């Protein structure tokens, strides 16, 4: 039976396998299991973040994360969704829709008034999916800069 729930530390190995799939599609990122494990452990433990999984009979089929920030533009909390990915053999079954709805419900519970995400414009199936969920393409681009800690 399909179940959506917050991820636990015990789910991280399967989540890393899903991230390997995601990062093989999105050229902007590289797969680094040690980095992903560390970040997922932080997200699972952080009350300002949510790692959500969809499971069936104990198997993780999909994952996604949400983290909120204070936004001057929205005048409140705004959440970033990341790492929305479904295992290939379970795609196009409504699992991602349920996952995103559950992540948005978490965001609402946390008091967020907006959610946003970054997407790969070359991943047309993802673009179509987010548009079907009533996400709008914002007229913004993203800069990034790696900094040493």
């Amino acid at each position: 039976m399909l179940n959506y729930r917050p991820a636990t530390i015990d789910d991280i190995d399967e989540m890393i396998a899903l991230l390997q799939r995601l990062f093989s599609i999105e050229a902007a990122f590289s797969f680094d299991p040690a980095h992903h494990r560390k970040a997922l452990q932080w997200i699972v433990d952080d009350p300002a973040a949510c790692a959500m999984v969809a499971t069936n009979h104990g198997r993780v089929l999909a994952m996604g994360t949400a983290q909120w920030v204070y936004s001057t533009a929205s005048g409140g909390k705004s959440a970033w969704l990341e790492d929305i990915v479904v295992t290939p053999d379970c795609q196009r079954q409504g699992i991602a829709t349920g996952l995103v709805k559950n992540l948005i419900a978490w965001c609402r519970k946390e008091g967020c008034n907006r959610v946003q995400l970054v997407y790969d414009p070359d991943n047309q199936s993802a673009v179509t999916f987010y548009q079907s969920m009533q996400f709008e393409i914002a007229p913004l681009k993203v800069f990034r800069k790696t900094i040493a800690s």
Side-chain angles (χ1 to χ4, degrees), residues 13-55:
D13 286 338
E14 289 179 278
M15 294 169 77
I16 290 170
L18 285 168
L19 289 176
Q20 183 174 20
R21 165 79 175 138
L22 178 64
F23 295 158
S24 73
I25 297 168
E26 297 188 353
F29 302 103
S30 58
F31 182 67
D32 184 331
H35 282 130
H36 307 324
R37 179 176 306 282
K38 182 170 42 171
L40 287 170
Q41 288 171 336
W42 285 333
I43 293 167
V44 165
D45 290 338
D46 188 339
C50 176
M52 184 79 59
V53 293
T55 64

Side-chain angles (χ1 to χ4, degrees), residues 7 31 38 43 46 49 61 72 80-81 83 108 113 115 120:
F31 182 67
K38 182 170 42 171
I43 293 167
D46 188 339
L61 307 178
T72 56
W80 283 95
L81 302 185
D83 303 328
R108 275 196 191 99
N113 61 19
V115 296
D120 180 347

Side-chain angles (χ1 to χ4, degrees), residues 8 55 62 79 92 102 122 136 143:
T8 68
T55 64
R92 305 203 188 287
N102 276 274
D122 292 332
E136 301 168 356
F143 279 107

Side-chain angles (χ1 to χ4, degrees), residues 60-82:
V60 174
L61 307 178
M63 66 166 285
T65 65
Q67 301 174 64
W68 62 261
V69 296
Y70 289 107
S71 169
T72 56
S74 73
K77 291 179 178 179
S78 177
W80 283 95
L81 302 185
E82 291 189 319

Side-chain angles (χ1 to χ4, degrees), residues 52 98-111 115:
M52 184 79 59
L99 182 67
V100 170
K101 285 180 179 180
N102 276 274
L103 285 166
I104 290 172
W106 177 86
C107 295
R108 275 196 191 99
K109 184 179 72 102
E110 290 296 311
V115 296

